[in-house]
Amino acid sequence: MKILVTGGTGFIGSHTCVELIESGHEVVIVDNLYNSSIEVLDNIEAISGVKPKFYKVDILDRPSLEEVFKENDFDAIIHFAGYKAVGESVSIPLTYYQNNISGSLNIYELMQKYHVDNIVFSSSATVYGDNFEVPFKEEYGQGDTTNPYGTTKKFNEIILTDFARANKDISVVNLRYFNPIGAHPSGLLGEDPEGTPNNLVPYIAKVATGELDHLRVFGDDYDTPDGTGVRDYIHVVDLAKAHLKAVEYATSHKGAEVINVGSGKGYSVLEVLKAYEAACGKKLPYKIYPRREGDIAVCYADTTKAKELLGFEVFRGIEDMCRDSYNYMIRHKK
């Protein structure tokens, strides 16, 4: 298949491109390089042996995005492109709504115009909000989201489900994934955001390499075993493999599906910190800060549906995730 990957030079997108190429698919990447580097293309090639076709295009730029569709006959789309920081979305909500919804609508409208019938959407467990008991199950539906980032994911799911309902040839797989961390075992691909990271493991990684002097732990008074927030972490390579299975599923099933992708196990902030300390071989300083607005106490997945529909299971644990993350950071220390 020829697959358009929006946000394909990003953390999850780049790993997914490797899995797609290694499985024989042709990849075309659209990315504005907002939070990634053009060098990622060389690293994808170093791992897979193939350098994907690349367009530096912002999904809000409708005319340029349409040129990509005109020049390529796509079989499917995997849509990653979007802003993704919970805390930042609370501060600049309009930016998140403009990019994550208006930009996505450009993709869906062009998908319809150029008869691309299959799409996998990068959704998030944040759509559950804090309404439900863990583990979160797809059958719960959507909750009252606690931040604009989560709301943009919720709206996109609704839009795509309505799109599939109105067009019987359309296949949608909304992958609600939890917290992807780690890096490619080669050390060539990983997560190293510009500036101060918004997510836990990239932040710990910068403490481990000395770029930051301590980890900020937001809240130690949650109703959890050690008081810190509990999340479901999944190795990014496992997550990439889930996208491969999802896009192949989409081409043989019509309609819209929602599928959790996680490990099915929750780890607290301090448990992840301990695993990272084991990976880097030293103690890492941390300080407790007030809770962040929009965060919830516990979040982990029921992964039954992913196994039943996609045949997907995770193979890497928290130790693998932290080891591969640290290996990447040491190789790419600034």
Side-chain angles (χ1 to χ4, degrees), residues 59-135:
I59 60 173
L60 287 170
D61 182 353
R62 173 66 177 260
S64 296
L65 189 59
E66 182 156 12
E67 287 301 312
V68 177
F69 278 81
K70 285 180 179 178
E71 293 174 13
N72 298 275
D73 185 14
F74 295 119
D75 297 294
I77 299 169
I78 302 180
H79 178 27
F80 293 107
Y83 297 145
K84 64 175 186 176
V86 168
E88 183 182 65
S89 77
V90 175
S91 301
I92 51 171
L94 296 184
T95 300
Y96 271 68
Y97 288 124
Q98 175 72 6
N99 186 80
N100 292 9
I101 296 177
S102 298
S104 295
L105 282 171
N106 285 337
I107 293 167
Y108 308 152
E109 289 168 353
L110 291 169
M111 177 181 170
Q112 179 173 248
K113 182 175 180 178
Y114 289 91
H115 306 290
V116 184
D117 294 336
N118 308 295
I119 186 166
V120 175
F121 174 64
S122 167
S123 192
S124 167
T126 55
V127 303
Y128 289 112
D130 57 1
N131 305 74
F132 307 114
E133 293 183 357
V134 292

Side-chain angles (χ1 to χ4, degrees), residues 9-201:
T9 59
F11 176 46
I12 305 168
S14 60
H15 287 81
T16 300
C17 287
V18 167
E19 296 299 324
L20 292 170
I21 292 167
E22 290 184 339
S23 295
H25 300 296
E26 182 180 354
V27 170
V28 176
I29 294 175
V30 161
D31 203 305
N32 65 358
L33 302 179
Y34 166 78
N35 195 29
S36 61
S37 167
I38 192 68
E39 285 76 25
V40 168
L41 297 175
D42 294 328
N43 294 333
I44 291 173
E45 181 181 21
I47 296 168
S48 69
V50 176
K51 191 170 189 175
K53 182 187 289 187
F54 174 77
Y55 293 86
K56 186 180 179 184
V57 170
D58 192 304
I59 60 173
L60 287 170
D61 182 353
R62 173 66 177 260
S64 296
L65 189 59
E66 182 156 12
E67 287 301 312
V68 177
F69 278 81
K70 285 180 179 178
E71 293 174 13
N72 298 275
D73 185 14
F74 295 119
D75 297 294
I77 299 169
I78 302 180
H79 178 27
F80 293 107
Y83 297 145
K84 64 175 186 176
V86 168
E88 183 182 65
S89 77
V90 175
S91 301
I92 51 171
L94 296 184
T95 300
Y96 271 68
Y97 288 124
Q98 175 72 6
N99 186 80
N100 292 9
I101 296 177
S102 298
S104 295
L105 282 171
N106 285 337
I107 293 167
Y108 308 152
E109 289 168 353
L110 291 169
M111 177 181 170
Q112 179 173 248
K113 182 175 180 178
Y114 289 91
H115 306 290
V116 184
D117 294 336
N118 308 295
I119 186 166
V120 175
F121 174 64
S122 167
S123 192
S124 167
T126 55
V127 303
Y128 289 112
D130 57 1
N131 305 74
F132 307 114
E133 293 183 357
V134 292
F136 291 158
K137 302 178 181 180
E138 295 91 347
E139 64 196 53
Y140 290 164
Q142 298 173 325
D144 297 324
T145 48
T146 60
N147 55 77
Y149 163 74
T151 304
T152 67
K153 295 297 186 182
K154 178 178 179 177
F155 286 168
N156 269 281
E157 283 193 11
I158 293 170
I159 291 165
L160 284 168
T161 299
D162 287 343
F163 182 29
R165 187 176 293 123
N167 297 269
K168 301 307 180 186
D169 292 331
I170 296 297
S171 179
V172 172
V173 179
N174 291 306
L175 289 184
R176 287 180 184 167
Y177 40 86
F178 285 64
N179 293 76
I181 61 174
H184 195 273
S186 67
L188 293 173
L189 294 175
E191 185 175 23
D192 188 13
E194 295 296 326
T196 302
N198 289 290
N199 296 322
L200 175 62
V201 171

Side-chain angles (χ1 to χ4, degrees), residues 11-12 84 86 123-126 136 149 176-182 191 198-202 229-239 260-267 269 272 292 295-301 314 316-318 321:
F11 176 46
I12 305 168
K84 64 175 186 176
V86 168
S123 192
S124 167
T126 55
F136 291 158
Y149 163 74
R176 287 180 184 167
Y177 40 86
F178 285 64
N179 293 76
I181 61 174
E191 185 175 23
N198 289 290
N199 296 322
L200 175 62
V201 171
V230 171
R231 296 291 182 269
D232 184 332
Y233 295 93
I234 180 172
H235 197 294
V236 65
V237 173
D238 282 336
L239 182 58
N260 287 338
V261 186
S263 69
K265 177 177 173 59
Y267 297 93
V269 173
V272 176
R292 290 184 303 188
D295 278 348
I296 63 176
V298 180
C299 174
Y300 62 92
V314 300
R316 297 161 180 84
I318 192 69
M321 302 179 210

